[in-house]
Amino acid sequence: MRSPIFDQANREKQSTTRWTMQSDKMLRVGFGPEALAAKGAMVAYQGQFDFAHEGSGSMSNFLKKAVTNEGGQLMRVRGQGEVFFARRNSNVFTIDLEGDSITINTSSLLAFDASLDWTITSIGNAGMLAGGLFNLTLTGQGTVGITSDGPPVLLDCSVQPTFVDPQAAVCWSANLTPGVKNDFKIGSLIGRGSGESFQLAFHGPGFVVVQPSEGTPSGPGAR
């Protein structure tokens, strides 16, 4: 039997490193230590594993989850072997936190070390205006895997105000507190209910990572 699919480049990467890029679209995580992952992000695993629903973690997170259903989409992964994570053929990146923090749009989250502290963060009362405005802030020592729907751009927010579509923001500096700009002119040009009528506003010492996409629609009627 012969096929390019059996090429060495497509075989599992053998590595003693816990977080390994299987390809630019797939992340391989070796266990031991437990990890938390977005539900639906696991595409395969080898070994013996237990996948359990992860609760909100605090009363504050629970209240936000009750209003938005955010933060309840995590699962705790424990076992021995390796797990492969991917999402919608998106590009995959890892970020090593070294005692610092980062805020991630939950739609771009794959998995992270369970040793990291996490909390659900919101942007004012904008969660009811557009999706993706309740996010996850991670702090501590460990690694997180994220996705970008296409090659991302890293924008410096310290020079001038930066405005980003909520669905296009992948992650940003945790020290930045984005606001919400309601642009009725843009909304009227694109159509009522369009997410583009709201933008996340960043300004200060830090960065925001933006993907060249508004992501995949979710919720009733999504495919």
Side-chain angles (χ1 to χ4, degrees):
M1 185 182 300
R2 287 187 292 177
S3 168
I5 201 170
F6 301 128
D7 289 352
Q8 182 64 38
N10 295 328
R11 297 186 181 183
E12 178 185 350
K13 299 291 191 298
Q14 299 299 322
S15 173
T16 57
T17 303
R18 172 167 162 82
W19 297 79
T20 303
M21 297 296 298
Q22 177 63 30
S23 70
D24 60 354
K25 307 285 189 179
M26 188 178 297
L27 178 64
R28 172 188 176 273
V29 182
F31 289 76
E34 295 180 2
L36 293 174
K39 287 186 177 179
M42 186 275 292
V43 295
Y45 67 91
Q46 293 181 306
Q48 299 294 324
F49 283 93
D50 175 63
F51 301 90
H53 171 77
E54 180 70 10
S56 302
S58 71
M59 180 58 67
S60 174
N61 286 346
F62 175 80
L63 293 174
K64 291 172 183 175
K65 173 190 169 185
V67 174
T68 67
N69 201 31
E70 288 283 353
Q73 304 305 310
L74 291 176
M75 61 181 179
R76 182 171 291 270
V77 185
R78 57 171 66 92
Q80 295 293 327
E82 52 270 332
V83 180
F84 298 85
F85 296 102
R87 175 173 284 175
R88 298 189 300 269
N89 198 37
S90 294
N91 294 355
V92 174
F93 299 88
T94 59
I95 300 173
D96 295 322
L97 295 180
E98 300 172 327
D100 40 9
S101 302
I102 192 168
T103 300
I104 299 171
N105 189 325
T106 53
S107 65
S108 297
L109 177 71
L110 275 183
F112 59 93
D113 282 317
S115 58
L116 291 170
D117 294 325
W118 62 276
T119 183
I120 300 170
T121 56
S122 62
I123 302 173
N125 61 354
M128 292 177 285
L129 303 180
L133 299 191
F134 285 79
N135 308 284
L136 202 66
T137 297
L138 299 172
T139 304
Q141 299 274 349
T143 300
V144 54
I146 63 172
T147 63
S148 173
D149 188 8
V153 61
L154 178 68
L155 299 179
D156 183 356
C157 304
S158 63
V159 179
Q160 56 186 342
T162 302
F163 302 93
V164 181
D165 183 280
Q167 306 301 331
V170 173
C171 60
W172 56 87
S173 301
N175 61 287
L176 293 178
T177 303
V180 175
K181 181 182 179 183
N182 186 347
D183 196 327
F184 289 103
K185 291 183 179 179
I186 293 179
S188 63
L189 290 173
I190 297 174
R192 182 172 297 186
S194 173
E196 282 84 353
S197 60
F198 301 96
Q199 299 97 47
L200 299 184
F202 299 90
H203 194 197
F207 64 86
V208 58
V209 176
V210 182
Q211 64 184 7
S213 166
E214 296 174 1
T216 301
S218 58
R223 297 180 180 179

